[in-house]
Amino acid sequence: MKRAGTLRQVSDLSDFSRGHWLRELLCRGEEPSHVQPSPDGQHLLVLQKNGPPPLPRVVAFQRHSIAGADLERSWQPPQPALVGLLFLQSPVVLGSWVLAMVWEHGRTEVWHFVVAVGWQLLQTLELCQGARARIVSVCSQGARLVWCEERPPLGAHLDMSKCAFRFCVCARALEAGEQGVRLGTVRMVLHNSPEYQVLASPQHIFLVPAAAGFATASKFLLIWHPETAKLTITAPSAGFVHSKVLHSSSESDFRKLLLGSVGLLSGFTPLDIHTSAVSNSGGLLLVSTKGAVNMVEPDGTQRHIFDLEVDSLTQGSPVRLKTFGRILACVLAGVLYLVDQYSGRLIEKEVLSMKEVHFLESPGEEDSIQLLTQTGIYSFSFSKPEDSSRPEPCLVEMVFEEACRYYQRRSLSSSKLTVEKLKKGGAFQAPVALAAILQHSLQQKQKPAQGLQDTYAKLLSTMSLELQSYMSLELLKTCVVCAPESEVESYCKELVEQEVSRILHSDMDKDNLAYLNSVFASFPKAAWKATRSCLQLQQNGDGLLVARATPEVWKKVLGGPQLDDVGQNGMVPLFELICASFLRFKP
């Protein structure tokens, strides 16, 4: 459902210490390289690498200023550059955090903010073990730092063919407590590798190849699972490729990792990545140069979310990405896109009066998005549906969308039926009743539901078993997505059986037939088991196979869309799918 949104200013930056300075910084011609709020939302760190003043610097702006030392660091090139501003959780003090400033040559400054005292430097540490190492990318996960570093060869002359794999990915715990700061031992994740950008989700680390990386490595991504010491190879164009548990540091050699997959990887198309970011659900968001927004899940699978309205993106066209609840927010060329990251539907498109925008955290406000601009901080809020105090559940929306397709097929009118028209139309009582019942059942688990109309309550008692079956099917789909690898196969078998049974008891149209074709192709064994169950295939006393299915089921098997309609799309009728299963599994 498309909802109207409102953009309002919540701060003109005057509530920040040196707010006028922050405004000036944001109004300059050069875009700030990095803007990041602290975990408590009370501080804003701005990294300025280019533009006036000539010295690059990082400045911390404090909201509701209390007297104390400010944080401002600048450096003079060719001094090593700053590569990371990272907030790390303190495992000793719950809810406490420190700021780690990581420099290119591995030196790391750990800062802490104390109320009424200000910013204090706790300690300076050396992150890398080699004096010649150079950090190119760094991220944090809890109290762990993960980085990619370059280790130049010792030879005086550089043979690029021999030193293409001169990078390594390392991890190290950094714990700040009452006794000071302690660095853990270095853990080698990957060595002899090309250059990677490291991005952290709560449980996984994504390794995205650099634009100027080695040709073969530019065709796939790596995902490191720290808890299981596993590396997953995935190619967005092809999905999951290979996964390997690294039992020792000797197994983390990049070339050995690829040894069994080189032939397969060589046929893949190179990655097309303009912008990457991690979503709040733990997936990797990728924007292509053509404007396609995709999500790579931690298990290596990929799904398409949305297409931005653009012909092509250049490196000079920044795309801002951030997820707020189930909403994906994108800003491109002064246009704000709000998309449901699960269904891919465009919820809102807003043309902003400002082009330079940075997203801020909105703790506790799932229905609003905060934007930092040159003139202050703005909040974009969604309006609530008129008949509810909360957004409609996804399953309720599905009822209306499915009903739209159903009535559109049977309509003699060429005008497009929309969800809004469906809800307001007096003739369409069935989807309205079903949506009310479904929403009532969903809310029972969360809070006491409001009473249903008497007619709906009677209908609910009649269809309660069907509703339970439908809800269990949706729960099973969720289990398939979230299950560990060892349990996925058993869940898939159960899901396929329920899906085949569901379709055989509904209208056999082109969409359902296409869906069945894909199910039989992807899960042939599970589909055959489901078919045996639906047709009640059993051996009689003479050893012959008999089918005890009802006439209604046989009508679906032998009927359905006409052959000339389905043949054009490469589909085959359901009866032929079942015959092919007979031939393959020979019961």
Side-chain angles (χ1 to χ4, degrees):
M1 180 197 304
K2 191 173 182 178
R3 310 182 186 116
T6 56
L7 187 67
R8 62 185 179 87
Q9 187 174 18
V10 295
S11 170
D12 61 358
L13 303 180
S14 60
D15 54 342
F16 279 88
S17 63
R18 303 179 295 172
H20 64 284
W21 191 4
L22 179 55
R23 277 196 299 271
E24 292 174 8
L25 191 66
L26 294 170
C27 287
R28 289 193 180 117
E30 291 291 336
E31 174 77 355
S33 305
H34 183 73
V35 177
Q36 184 172 356
S38 62
D40 57 10
Q42 294 303 306
H43 304 267
L44 201 60
L45 270 77
V46 177
L47 172 63
Q48 187 82 1
K49 289 184 178 179
N50 305 311
L55 293 182
R57 60 178 175 165
V58 58
V59 183
F61 298 90
Q62 181 190 351
R63 190 187 286 268
H64 310 302
S65 177
I66 301 173
D70 293 322
L71 174 59
E72 181 178 355
R73 292 281 280 111
S74 61
W75 58 97
Q76 175 71 54
Q79 180 182 339
L82 185 67
V83 293
L85 288 169
L86 306 167
F87 290 103
L88 289 95
Q89 301 169 0
S90 172
V92 178
V93 184
L94 187 64
S96 179
W97 51 267
V98 296
L99 169 66
M101 299 175 62
V102 183
W103 304 84
E104 192 177 52
H105 58 340
R107 182 163 298 164
T108 302
E109 298 176 6
V110 182
W111 293 78
H112 181 53
F113 183 82
V114 180
V115 177
V117 177
W119 287 94
Q120 293 181 319
L121 178 62
L122 293 182
Q123 203 164 334
T124 301
L125 307 162
E126 295 296 336
L127 199 58
C128 304
Q129 290 182 321
R132 304 175 70 247
R134 182 179 71 91
I135 295 179
V136 294
S137 174
V138 62
C139 65
S140 63
Q141 187 184 67
R144 178 194 291 128
L145 288 173
V146 182
W147 70 94
C148 177
E149 69 177 52
E150 180 184 18
R151 293 183 174 178
L154 297 175
H157 62 282
L158 297 180
D159 182 352
M160 295 308 294
S161 64
K162 294 182 179 179
C163 64
F165 302 101
R166 63 185 185 277
F167 294 85
C168 61
V169 178
C170 309
R172 199 169 191 179
L174 192 155
E175 299 179 357
E178 297 176 355
Q179 305 301 319
V181 182
R182 186 182 71 85
L183 268 178
T185 56
V186 175
R187 180 177 183 181
M188 187 68 66
V189 180
L190 195 67
H191 61 90
N192 294 331
S193 79
E195 180 180 351
Y196 278 104
Q197 178 192 9
V198 290
L199 298 163
S201 75
Q203 283 83 36
H204 309 89
I205 304 292
F206 294 95
L207 278 63
V208 181
F214 194 59
T216 304
S218 66
K219 297 183 177 183
F220 60 89
L221 305 169
L222 294 177
I223 306 171
W224 179 45
H225 312 262
E227 300 305 319
T228 55
K230 183 173 69 174
L231 268 173
T232 294
I233 304 173
T234 178
S237 62
F240 172 85
V241 176
H242 178 61
S243 187
K244 182 178 182 180
V245 177
L246 309 178
H247 297 288
S248 63
S249 59
S250 62
E251 294 185 342
S252 63
D253 186 282
F254 176 80
R255 288 168 291 193
K256 291 182 180 178
L257 179 72
L258 298 186
L259 201 57
S261 309
V262 172
L264 180 63
L265 294 171
S266 62
F268 293 159
T269 56
L271 296 173
D272 178 13
I273 301 175
H274 178 275
T275 305
S276 57
V278 176
S279 75
N280 55 8
S281 62
L284 178 67
L285 292 165
L286 299 177
V287 182
S288 73
T289 56
K290 297 179 180 62
V293 183
N294 296 287
M295 173 85 79
V296 178
E297 302 291 352
D299 62 0
T301 57
Q302 174 180 286
R303 60 185 175 88
H304 178 257
I305 297 180
F306 183 71
D307 288 314
L308 297 171
E309 296 174 355
V310 63
D311 293 330
S312 62
L313 291 170
T314 62
Q315 290 304 317
S317 307
V319 179
R320 306 292 179 194
L321 292 174
K322 193 165 182 62
T323 49
F324 299 84
R326 65 180 293 127
I327 304 300
L328 167 64
C330 304
V331 171
L332 171 64
V335 179
L336 171 66
Y337 299 87
L338 302 180
V339 182
D340 188 313
Q341 63 172 313
Y342 298 108
S343 68
R345 284 186 301 112
L346 178 65
I347 298 173
E348 193 80 32
K349 178 185 174 183
E350 181 84 4
V351 179
L352 305 176
S353 59
M354 64 289 290
K355 288 194 174 182
E356 306 301 346
V357 172
H358 294 271
F359 289 116
L360 300 180
E361 299 292 340
S362 302
E365 300 181 23
E366 293 186 358
D367 58 349
S368 69
I369 293 171
Q370 286 200 351
L371 310 168
L372 174 68
T373 73
Q374 298 96 325
T375 55
I377 296 176
Y378 290 80
S379 176
F380 191 92
S381 302
F382 307 111
S383 63
K384 306 288 187 182
E386 294 178 0
D387 57 345
S388 176
S389 60
R390 50 173 286 148
E392 292 181 350
C394 184
L395 296 182
V396 176
E397 294 180 17
M398 286 171 56
V399 169
F400 286 114
E401 291 170 359
E402 184 66 29
C404 272
R405 287 194 290 267
Y406 179 86
Y407 286 117
Q408 190 74 55
R409 284 199 304 266
R410 284 155 177 75
S411 173
L412 299 177
S413 171
S414 59
S415 62
K416 181 71 174 176
L417 179 63
T418 64
V419 171
E420 286 76 13
K421 290 180 182 177
L422 181 69
K423 287 183 176 181
K424 294 178 181 178
F428 306 109
Q429 289 301 309
V432 176
L434 180 57
I437 290 171
L438 190 56
Q439 192 165 20
H440 174 92
S441 303
L442 287 169
Q443 290 180 345
Q444 279 183 331
K445 299 178 181 178
Q446 300 157 1
K447 60 182 180 181
Q450 300 174 353
L452 280 173
Q453 298 179 20
D454 290 341
T455 53
Y456 289 179
K458 293 177 182 177
L459 188 57
L460 174 61
S461 63
T462 303
M463 58 180 292
S464 59
L465 290 178
E466 289 293 333
L467 186 59
Q468 288 176 18
S469 175
Y470 182 71
M471 292 296 293
S472 65
L473 180 60
E474 291 301 314
L475 180 62
L476 180 58
K477 290 179 180 178
T478 305
C479 291
V480 172
V481 174
C482 304
E485 291 184 22
S486 58
E487 300 176 14
V488 167
E489 186 176 356
S490 61
Y491 279 129
C492 282
K493 288 180 180 178
E494 185 179 348
L495 178 60
V496 168
E497 186 166 351
Q498 290 198 33
E499 287 286 71
V500 171
S501 175
R502 177 181 67 84
I503 292 176
L504 285 179
H505 289 86
S506 60
D507 290 340
M508 186 56 67
D509 55 18
K510 290 182 183 178
D511 291 339
N512 280 338
L513 183 58
Y515 183 43
L516 275 179
N517 271 258
S518 65
V519 167
F520 272 76
S522 303
F523 307 99
K525 193 172 182 180
W528 166 240
K529 183 180 177 183
T531 302
R532 286 196 307 179
S533 176
C534 292
L535 297 182
Q536 299 183 49
L537 294 176
Q538 300 169 357
Q539 279 189 330
N540 63 10
D542 299 327
L544 300 175
L545 198 64
V546 295
R548 306 188 188 279
T550 61
E552 287 73 19
V553 173
W554 279 116
K555 288 178 183 178
K556 302 289 174 59
V557 172
L558 299 173
Q562 295 300 309
L563 287 175
D564 54 348
D565 292 333
V566 301
Q568 298 173 356
N569 297 323
M571 295 182 292
V572 298
L574 177 57
F575 183 71
E576 289 189 25
L577 286 175
I578 295 175
C579 289
S581 292
F582 264 85
L583 181 64
R584 178 170 183 172
F585 295 102
K586 297 180 175 59

